[in-house]
Amino acid sequence: MEEHEIRYFVIPMIVVFILGIATISGPTFPVFEFMIVGLIAVLIGTICGWLAVGIKLLVKLLQTWKEHRAVKKVIVISKR
């Protein structure tokens, strides 16, 4: 994984964390709610990050496969 791909993990995590903190309204268990919001933010960030990296790898794999297939066709045509 490249260094600039970390943004796919961090940005959703920060957004979910800020929105989660904004929704905490009850002063009953603020530390518990803060920890739950943090955990949910980490989980969402991890899921979004791995989805982005997976999609990027899938696109790269498909492009490589298409290039390999095109080269194979050119070789077959030139043998005739």
Side-chain angles (χ1 to χ4, degrees), residues 5-57:
E5 290 179 348
I6 296 198
R7 68 175 179 239
Y8 298 128
F9 292 89
V10 175
I11 292 174
M13 192 180 308
I14 291 171
V15 169
V16 170
F17 185 75
I18 290 172
L19 291 175
I21 294 299
T23 60
I24 293 178
S25 60
T28 54
F29 298 107
V31 175
F32 182 67
E33 291 177 3
F34 180 79
M35 292 182 77
I36 288 185
V37 166
L39 178 66
I40 291 171
V42 168
L43 289 174
I44 295 296
T46 304
I47 291 169
C48 289
W50 284 117
L51 278 174
V53 170
I55 290 170
K56 194 172 186 180
L57 287 174

Side-chain angles (χ1 to χ4, degrees), residues 62-75:
L62 287 174
Q63 287 175 346
T64 305
W65 179 71
K66 283 182 180 180
E67 289 173 1
H68 178 71
R69 191 169 161 221
V71 168
K72 205 173 185 181
K73 283 183 179 179
V74 169
I75 292 172

